[in-house]
């Protein structure tokens, strides 16, 4: 591609990704399948890697999430809520492992299911739930405390009087999603495209009665800020601690000593993902030990000590929409 064509393609990718990102993050109504968004983003990232002068400051590759919806109070995150880099195949995973080993030597990993919902941050003061927010643009999120209080799996009081901020994924179980879309269909309302958008659409409503009626749930997957501040040496120990003070953590996570164990975990869940009663869109691979994590650090957008393996798109048939959707 000559220079002019390359510049035009970069502009086109910026425009398309901004348009799709707005529909997904702000309106909770995606207009294209995730696989389309992901492949355009990969194309942009690879052009930008070879032509750093074509990275615009407002490029979608440089940003986390979307803007804030009007009507909600803003919450400035004490610790930024970042995104994750994505990997799509075995070669990418082995490259990630090589980069990690180059930065921190031999490490252990922890693999977790990548729950397909929306990221939330929950703040507790002396053991009492005081504020819950969305990720927003990573720095500023929406205050959705009233909506989060309607979710039964979020403890309002912890087993210890600890002041802590935790991060997790709010999601809609598959059964609740099916029931909700059936009801919407009967009422002549447009069905939600998938449980992720139904969960996000439910939590970003000003009336908490709507969230209360939607049977949402949350898995907590980590501490905001310095995990070691609570006396643990590793992410896996922190997950045990979080469960011990009352949070619902996902019990399917697994410590993996080698990248071969990581690959085996991914393969086993790729085959069985349909058996779960919630949607997952991949596997999150995290370096387990906090000292190793610290050594690897962060880019502007994501930690270098973690990555998300995204499952390949699969064709599914949704009875309600009566169209083939690629997810
Ligand atoms: P991401 O979804 O690739 O990864 C980051 C998120 O993973 C975190 O914020 C967290 O919410 C979530 N997560 C789930 N389980 C987790 C766990 N166990 N540990 C840590 N995090 C966990 O990044 P993103 O920036 O939220 O979104 C990008 C993705 O959104 C793209 O890959 C794309 O598929 C989708 N998207 C789709 C469209 C569309 O039009 N269809 C538009 C924009 C984005």
């Amino acid at each position: 591609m000559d220079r002019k064509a390359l510049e035009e393609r970069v502009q086109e990718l910026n425009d398309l990704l901004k348009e799709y990102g707005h529909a997904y993050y702000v309106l909770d109504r995606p207009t294209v399948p995730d696989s389309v968004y992901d492949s355009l983003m990969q194309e942009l990232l690879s052009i930008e890697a070879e032509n750093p002068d074509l990275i615009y400051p407002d490029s979608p590759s440089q940003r986390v999430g979307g803007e804030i919806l009007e009507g909600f109070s803003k919450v400035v995150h004490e610790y930024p809520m970042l995104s994750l880099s994505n990997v799509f195949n075995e070669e990418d995973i082995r490259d990630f492992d090589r980069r990690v080993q180059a930065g921190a030597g031999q490490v252990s990993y922890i693999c977790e299911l990548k729950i397909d919902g929306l990221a939330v941050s929950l703040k507790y003061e002396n053991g009492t739930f005081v504020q819950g927010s969305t990720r927003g643009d990573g720095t500023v999120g929406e205050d959705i405390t009233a909506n989060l209080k309607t979710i039964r799996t979020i403890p309002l009081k912890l087993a210890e009087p600890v002041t802590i901020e935790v991060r997790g994924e709010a999601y809609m179980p598959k059964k609740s999603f099916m029931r909700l879309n059936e009801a919407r269909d009967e009422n002549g309302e447009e069905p939600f495209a998938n449980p992720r958008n139904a969960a996000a659409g439910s939590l970003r409503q000003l009336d908490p009665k709507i969230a209360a009626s939607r049977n949402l749930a949350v898995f907590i997957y980590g501490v905001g800020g310095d995990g070691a501040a609570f006396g643990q040496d590793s992410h896996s120990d922190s997950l045990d601690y979080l469960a011990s003070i009352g949070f619902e953590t996902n019990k399917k996570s697994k410590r993996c000593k080698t990248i071969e164990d990581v690959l085996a975990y991914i393969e086993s869940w790729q085959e069985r993902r349909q058996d779960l009663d919630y949607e997952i869109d991949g596997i999150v691979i995290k370096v387990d030990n906090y000292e190793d994590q610290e050594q690897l650090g962060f880019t502007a957008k994501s930690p270098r000590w973690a990555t998300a393996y995204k499952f390949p798109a699969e064709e599914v048939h949704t009875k309600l929409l009566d169209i083939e959707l690629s997810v």
Side-chain angles (χ1 to χ4, degrees):
M1 223 187 267
D2 67 27
R3 176 72 191 185
K4 187 158 183 298
L6 201 61
E7 281 172 12
E8 276 170 16
R9 183 62 184 155
V10 167
Q11 190 58 57
E12 191 177 18
L13 288 168
N14 270 267
D15 291 347
L16 280 174
L17 287 164
K18 274 180 209 160
E19 180 192 326
Y20 298 154
H22 183 78
Y24 180 91
Y25 290 119
V26 183
L27 308 178
D28 297 319
R29 289 164 60 138
T31 48
V32 293
D34 286 0
S35 53
V36 171
Y37 182 88
D38 289 345
S39 71
L40 294 174
M41 179 63 92
Q42 289 310 307
E43 185 185 344
L44 179 63
L45 286 169
S46 78
I47 299 176
E48 288 181 342
E50 285 180 18
N51 305 275
D53 60 313
L54 291 180
I55 306 177
Y56 299 122
D58 65 341
S59 164
S61 70
Q62 307 299 303
R63 306 193 55 210
V64 173
E67 311 104 65
I68 309 291
L69 273 189
E70 289 295 322
F72 289 96
S73 306
K74 291 179 182 157
V75 176
V76 178
H77 298 304
E78 196 171 336
Y79 311 102
M81 290 183 79
L82 299 177
S83 180
L84 290 168
S85 62
N86 286 173
V87 288
F88 296 91
N89 52 45
E90 183 176 336
E91 200 189 319
D92 293 349
I93 296 169
R94 291 189 186 278
D95 281 347
F96 166 74
D97 181 47
R98 272 189 283 276
R99 283 195 303 277
V100 164
Q101 293 205 32
Q106 190 67 45
V107 303
S108 277
Y109 292 105
I110 172 160
C111 287
E112 294 169 26
L113 303 183
K114 185 168 184 295
I115 315 296
D116 200 7
L118 84 155
V120 293
S121 183
L122 311 178
K123 267 190 184 173
Y124 289 77
E125 274 170 20
N126 302 316
T128 301
F129 178 50
V130 291
Q131 191 176 59
S133 53
T134 61
R135 186 177 66 173
D137 65 6
T139 309
V140 181
E142 294 138 334
D143 186 332
I144 53 162
T145 311
N147 289 340
L148 288 170
K149 276 187 176 169
T150 69
I151 300 182
R152 290 197 195 107
T153 52
I154 294 185
L156 299 180
K157 203 137 195 101
L158 300 175
E160 280 179 16
V162 65
T163 295
I164 192 170
E165 186 169 333
V166 296
R167 302 279 161 82
E169 194 81 353
Y171 67 95
M172 184 176 283
K174 285 179 190 168
K175 267 192 202 138
S176 311
F177 172 70
M178 291 302 286
R179 273 201 298 268
L180 173 64
N181 263 0
E182 270 160 22
R184 287 177 76 86
D185 197 39
E186 276 162 24
N187 295 335
E189 293 167 301
E190 200 186 328
F192 285 106
N194 54 48
R196 187 262 163 211
N197 295 104
S202 307
L203 281 175
R204 295 166 83 224
Q205 295 278 344
L206 294 172
D207 180 1
K209 281 198 216 87
I210 298 180
S213 70
R214 298 264 170 100
N215 295 313
L216 299 166
V218 171
F219 282 124
I220 296 302
Y221 55 66
V223 175
D226 182 13
F230 299 91
Q232 285 78 40
D233 296 333
S234 66
H235 180 68
S236 51
D237 286 348
S238 283
L239 288 177
D240 291 343
Y241 169 67
L242 292 172
S244 78
I245 58 174
F247 291 110
E248 175 144 47
T249 56
N250 189 288
K251 299 294 180 290
K252 310 273 192 290
S253 60
K254 189 167 185 260
R255 282 197 69 186
C256 292
K257 279 215 166 109
T258 65
I259 205 67
E260 305 307 324
D261 297 343
V262 168
L263 291 166
Y265 179 89
I266 289 175
E267 202 184 326
S268 80
W269 279 109
Q270 193 149 306
E271 281 161 15
R272 288 181 293 151
R273 63 190 280 209
Q274 305 302 348
D275 301 345
L276 295 164
D277 58 13
Y278 43 87
E279 297 238 331
I280 60 172
D281 63 340
I283 300 294
V284 184
I285 309 162
K286 299 175 182 171
V287 169
D288 196 20
N289 188 280
Y290 283 141
E291 275 179 21
D292 293 337
Q293 288 188 4
E294 206 178 323
Q295 204 158 340
L296 291 158
F298 296 85
T299 69
K301 207 181 154 187
S302 54
R304 286 199 187 85
W305 44 262
T307 195
Y309 167 77
K310 299 282 298 252
F311 290 136
E314 56 178 21
E315 297 301 317
V316 293
H317 185 75
T318 66
K319 262 195 303 183
L320 283 159
L321 297 177
D322 207 30
I323 51 169
E324 297 292 329
L325 274 182
S326 195
V327 293

